[in-house]
DNA sequence: CGAAAACTGTTTATGCCGCACACTGTTTTG
DNA sequence: CAAAACAGTGTGCGGCATAAACAGTTTTCG
């Protein structure tokens, strides 16, 4: 009943079963040559190497030596496959309990590990745009961060807001980093400089910042800078809160 | 020489000319029935109403009663058209000088206006993912924020970092907001609750936060919350800086 | 034991998409 | 008045996700 019982959900439920591993394997027909895991893994490899746009059903099937349509015996649609790719690439939740220091250090560690993920799988930012239904691993990362925030003494609503803030910052940094090497940095700043030379009077602050060296290096440590600001802000919020003592 | 002289840039240069209005209109042939502006405007209308995915060359041309290929007389590629859509939708830079208060209020105003933009044109977040070559209006918004930051006393490198931080937060909030109505909120939390009921033991902090009401409302004021944290952090940074006096 | 059911992988086809290319017809310039 | 430059069209290519019908294989049940 768990696997097939509630058919009302339709494709939503089927995809969920894949994500959560709730599937009873059939016993009737021939043995499958592939598997959801292997398909997902191959898709991730393609995306890592050539970007998300290179991941097509044909491309994946060709890597196995099968036809395009054979994949649909394992995965209901490409959207579901991408969801599987996401949750697989995200992997197990980070272990923050063993991080030395206070809640700031743990959150910083969460952010750094998250960023590493986005760098290893550059397509993740693109794939996780928008409000999706989260997979088990994604929920794990959320839970890990919420646990730290709760422990620090933030009330539930602020836990939510703070997570969104932290996650947003990491995503933002990742987006800039990964975008920066798809378009060469020097090419980018060359194009910018060219236009500024012609229209510099329209952008005085930008010109001044460039002259001051603000854009010579590709943003020193954007993650750490924002992290510091952000954690400082959260700490101040905590200090000004009425009467919630630090959790433990 | 300005318009066509440097042909080395290829498609990059041609698209730039469109963005910056550097184009000498031809005089030889028949009068064009459409214009880049009208095409861009129609494309934006479609995107506003039906999302970025609904914007296809066929769809746009059909809105004019012309064939698909006719559009390529005005725009070199769809990518360029999207770039035009972006810069047109962004529009003129915000006027922050008339905002009463200090640099915090001005930056907050920048963020709110930026968010309004992302809400009005939901496709903007999707379209502006990645590190692109910025158009004139986009540069204008950047310049406006940098001016405030410079005036507040931040050195160039930190202006850059702070802008990235602020922009990232707005984008993050926008992404969550706009994603939230494409997938109905109640449907989303229903799916989440269903899984938590089954696997709640794996996500103790999430369950606790939900019980505490952290997810009953769809994140009270995510922009303002993060804005406050972020500005507090920046202010602290400024206060701890060695010897830079506040600009004005 | 044999038929039916369940399952795997293939073939074929549909309707999108961006876009290259060759074509016709129009307007201006020399 | 011819040549050049341009506007819009029609055709076609390669790629995409995926629906539907199909053949072959393995298990289950009467």
């Amino acid at each position: 009943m768990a696997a097939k019982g509630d058919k009302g959900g339709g494709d939503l439920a089927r995809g969920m079963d894949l994500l959560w591993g709730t599937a009873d394997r059939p016993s009737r027909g021939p043995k499958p040559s592939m598997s959801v895991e292997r398909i997902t893994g191959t898709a991730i490899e393609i995306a890592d190497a050539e970007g998300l746009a290179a991941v097509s059903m044909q491309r994946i099937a060709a890597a196995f030596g099968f036809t395009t349509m054979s994949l649909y015996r394992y995965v209901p649609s490409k959207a579901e496959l991408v969801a599987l790719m996401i949750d697989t690439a995200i992997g197990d939740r980070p272990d923050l309990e063993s991080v030395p220091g206070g809640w700031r250090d743990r959150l910083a560690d969460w952010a750094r590990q998250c960023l590493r993920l986005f760098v290893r799988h550059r397509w993740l930012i693109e794939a996780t745009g928008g409000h999706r239904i989260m997979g088990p691993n994604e929920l794990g990362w959320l839970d890990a961060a919420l646990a730290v925030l709760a422990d620090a003494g933030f009330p539930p609503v602020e836990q939510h807001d703070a997570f969104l803030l932290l996650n947003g910052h990491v995503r933002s940094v990742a987006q800039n980093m990964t975008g920066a090497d798809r378009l060469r940095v020097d090419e980018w700043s060359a194009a910018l400089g060219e236009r500024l030379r012609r229209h510099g009077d329209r952008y005085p602050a930008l010109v001044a910042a460039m002259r001051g060296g603000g854009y010579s290096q590709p943003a020193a440590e954007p993650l750490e800078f924002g992290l510091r600001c952000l954690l400082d802000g959260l700490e101040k919020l905590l200090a000004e809160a009425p009467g919630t003592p630090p959790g433990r």
Side-chain angles (χ1 to χ4, degrees), chain A:
Chain A
M1 183 180 283
K4 280 186 172 180
D6 45 358
K7 205 184 168 189
D11 58 345
L12 187 135
R14 187 155 40 140
M16 297 277 271
D17 284 344
L18 280 179
L19 270 173
W20 292 83
T22 320
D24 39 355
R25 64 276 161 76
S27 58
R28 211 64 81 106
K31 287 170 191 170
S33 320
M34 303 184 268
S35 72
V36 179
E37 289 75 20
R38 298 219 303 142
I39 291 174
T40 306
T42 304
I44 290 177
E45 281 173 18
I46 296 173
D48 285 345
E50 303 171 45
L52 192 59
V55 176
S56 73
M57 301 305 263
Q58 303 198 24
R59 187 84 174 63
I60 301 169
F64 282 100
F66 289 105
T67 60
T68 307
M69 292 309 293
S70 64
L71 295 181
Y72 288 94
R73 293 286 168 200
Y74 300 84
V75 162
S77 73
K78 191 189 176 181
E80 295 292 347
L81 175 57
V82 173
L84 283 166
M85 289 172 63
I86 293 171
D87 215 64
T88 304
I90 286 177
D92 287 333
R93 64 195 296 170
D95 172 29
L96 303 179
E97 323 238 338
S98 63
V99 173
W103 61 271
R104 288 183 59 128
D105 304 276
R106 292 179 216 265
L107 282 187
D109 196 70
W110 186 96
R112 290 189 199 107
Q113 290 201 48
C114 193
L115 180 63
R116 209 178 322 150
L117 216 59
F118 280 126
V119 169
R120 198 190 313 277
H121 307 287
R122 303 180 198 283
W123 48 272
L124 260 185
I125 314 119
E126 187 181 343
T128 55
H131 220 206
R132 296 148 301 102
I133 294 185
M134 298 170 88
N137 287 336
E138 203 171 353
L139 282 177
W141 280 70
L142 168 60
D143 189 74
L146 288 184
V148 174
L149 288 164
D151 201 49
F154 290 98
V157 183
E158 292 187 359
Q159 290 172 34
H160 186 192
D161 282 331
F163 170 80
L164 249 51
L165 181 58
L166 184 65
N167 190 38
H169 177 53
V170 175
R171 288 184 58 90
S172 164
V173 171
Q175 194 151 45
N176 271 321
M177 288 180 54
T178 61
D181 63 17
R182 148 172 345 185
L183 198 70
R184 301 289 171 78
V185 176
D186 50 347
E187 191 180 345
W188 182 84
S189 64
L192 179 59
E194 168 69 14
R195 287 297 154 181
L196 282 190
R197 213 165 301 127
R198 248 182 272 236
H199 306 274
D201 48 327
R202 285 173 61 182
Y203 312 104
L206 224 187
V207 171
M210 285 195 81
R211 293 240 169 88
Y215 286 83
S216 52
Q217 65 262 41
E221 285 292 345
L223 180 70
E224 299 300 329
F225 177 89
L227 213 45
R228 182 180 162 187
C229 288
L230 206 146
L231 293 175
D232 280 344
L234 286 176
E235 189 165 2
K236 185 165 179 238
L237 195 75
L238 206 56
E240 289 169 355
T244 38
R248 188 167 289 172

